[in-house]
Amino acid sequence: RDLGGFAVRRALPASQRQRVGPFIFLDHMGPVEFSKGQGVDVPPHPHVGLATVTYLLQGSLVHRDSLGYRQVIRPGEVNWMVAGRGVTHSERTAPEVRAQGNLVLSGIQAWVALPSELEECEPGFEHLDSRRLPLIEERGVQIRLILGELYRERTPVRTFSPMFYADAKLEAAAKLSLSADYEERAIYVVDGVVELDGCRFGAGRMLVLRSGENITLNAISASRIMLLGGDPLQGRRYIWWNFVASRREMIEEAKRAWQQGDWENGRFKLPPDDSEEFVPLPG
C-alpha cells in the first residue's frame, strides 16, 4: 500500500481475517530511508469509530490533530488517538529532521475498533513516553507493553475493551511463552525469523493463534515481534477508507460530512496549525 509517498505492509484487514480482538487494521511502515529534504507527508484526514495507535521503531513523526494537539512521536512512545464521532489528524516529518537527511523511518500503525456503544464518543488524545510503559525482561526476551494488560502488567493508557499490544525483542535461541488468557491473539513478525509448531516465519508474516492454546515461540535469529489481541467485539464492523462502524449509516454520514468540508460548523475540523490542505474523499 502507498502511504504518503512510501510503501507499507498491511497485515490487517486481510482476505483471511478482518480483525484480531479489537484490532481491525495494522500497517508496518518501512523501514524506508529518506534523502535530505524528503520525508513523510500525510495531510489531514478523518477517522470515526476507532482509536489509532502509532508506535515507531525508528525515526520520528509530528502528529497534529483537530483537537489542537501537536506531538513529536519517537521510538518506544505511545501515540493514542480516540476518534469516536470524528477527528482529523496529519503525520509529517519535521522540517529540521528533513534538513538532516538520511532519515530512516520504521513503525507500526494499528487501529482499534471501539465497542458499538462508544463508537460516537467524544474524541481524545493521549501520549506516553517509553518510561511510563511496563518493561518485562527475562532470559533473552524484552517486552514493552504498549496497550492493555499482559504478563500481569498493565499500561496507564485508557482502553475500551479487554486487549493487549506489546513490542517484543528476542535474542537468538530465546523462547517466548504466550498464554491463552485472551480469546483472540496474533503475532506479527517485524524482523528476524521465529519458529512455532515446527514452522518458521520471517518478517512481514502475521500468525493468528488458535483459541485456548498456550504457545511457545522460538527465535531462530534475533527477532522483533508485535503481540496483539483481546476479546472479540460484538457484532460486525464495516470499513470504508478511514472509517470504521457497526452501522453503514455512520459511515455514510461521515462521508457526507467530509465531502461538505464545513470546517467551521461541521462534524470535522482541520488541525489548527495544519489546515492548508487535506486528503479528499476517495472516488
Side-chain angles (χ1 to χ4, degrees):
R1 308 282 179 169
D2 182 83
L3 181 69
F6 65 98
V8 300
R9 293 170 173 162
R10 181 155 296 167
L12 285 176
S15 59
Q16 304 98 322
R17 187 89 181 200
Q18 187 197 50
R19 49 187 159 134
V20 177
F23 288 87
I24 201 164
F25 177 99
L26 189 140
D27 264 4
H28 180 188
M29 306 177 286
V32 59
E33 184 173 352
F34 295 103
S35 58
K36 190 172 183 177
Q38 296 182 329
V40 175
D41 278 302
V42 181
H45 56 281
H47 290 288
V48 298
L50 55 89
T52 68
V53 53
T54 304
Y55 185 80
L56 294 185
L57 309 172
Q58 293 176 274
S60 65
L61 285 173
V62 178
H63 161 99
R64 296 179 177 88
D65 63 42
S66 52
L67 302 174
Y69 290 98
R70 180 191 184 278
Q71 178 65 55
V72 178
I73 313 171
R74 297 182 177 87
E77 301 176 341
V78 174
N79 207 71
W80 175 247
M81 184 183 71
V82 179
R85 68 179 304 276
V87 76
T88 305
H89 75 134
S90 66
E91 292 158 310
R92 302 185 187 271
T93 301
E96 61 272 19
V97 176
R98 292 176 196 264
Q100 295 171 5
N102 300 318
L103 164 70
V104 177
L105 181 72
S106 177
I108 308 287
Q109 185 169 88
W111 296 355
V112 176
L114 300 178
S116 57
E117 67 273 16
L118 295 173
E119 286 179 312
E120 298 191 79
C121 68
E122 287 299 311
F125 177 80
E126 192 172 355
H127 183 90
L128 275 73
D129 67 31
S130 59
R131 293 170 296 181
R132 296 186 61 193
L133 301 175
L135 187 64
I136 304 149
E137 297 182 279
E138 59 177 44
R139 297 183 182 179
V141 178
Q142 183 185 83
I143 302 169
R144 188 179 302 280
L145 187 57
I146 302 168
L147 296 173
E149 185 174 358
L150 191 66
Y151 300 118
R152 299 182 180 179
E153 297 282 355
R154 173 179 285 277
T155 68
V157 181
R158 183 190 172 214
T159 52
F160 302 92
S161 62
M163 60 173 292
F164 69 96
Y165 187 37
D167 169 21
K169 299 176 183 178
L170 287 73
E171 297 176 3
K175 297 181 182 297
L176 181 144
S177 296
L178 187 62
S179 65
D181 295 339
Y182 294 92
E183 184 175 343
E184 297 185 353
R185 300 162 298 156
I187 296 169
Y188 177 76
V189 184
V190 175
D191 193 28
V193 178
V194 298
E195 182 181 68
L196 180 62
D197 290 343
C199 298
R200 295 187 176 189
F201 305 93
R205 298 295 299 276
M206 175 172 275
L207 321 180
V208 179
L209 308 179
R210 287 187 290 269
S211 179
E213 292 188 12
N214 299 333
I215 66 103
T216 298
L217 190 78
N218 302 312
I220 302 303
S221 65
S223 302
R224 191 167 193 175
I225 61 176
M226 307 301 290
L227 308 172
L228 62 142
D231 292 349
L233 296 179
Q234 297 299 311
R236 185 172 181 176
R237 290 299 185 277
Y238 299 97
I239 305 176
W240 190 89
W241 192 34
N242 300 316
F243 306 143
V244 173
S246 60
R247 298 178 295 106
R248 291 188 186 275
E249 294 80 8
M250 183 176 169
I251 289 179
E252 292 303 317
E253 291 166 4
K255 287 165 66 174
R256 286 193 293 271
W258 189 252
Q259 184 71 52
Q260 289 167 359
D262 184 357
W263 315 127
E264 293 296 323
N265 304 303
R267 181 173 190 163
F268 296 106
K269 303 185 186 312
L270 296 179
D273 57 348
D274 194 352
S275 59
E276 297 300 313
E277 61 176 339
F278 58 87
V279 180
L281 193 75

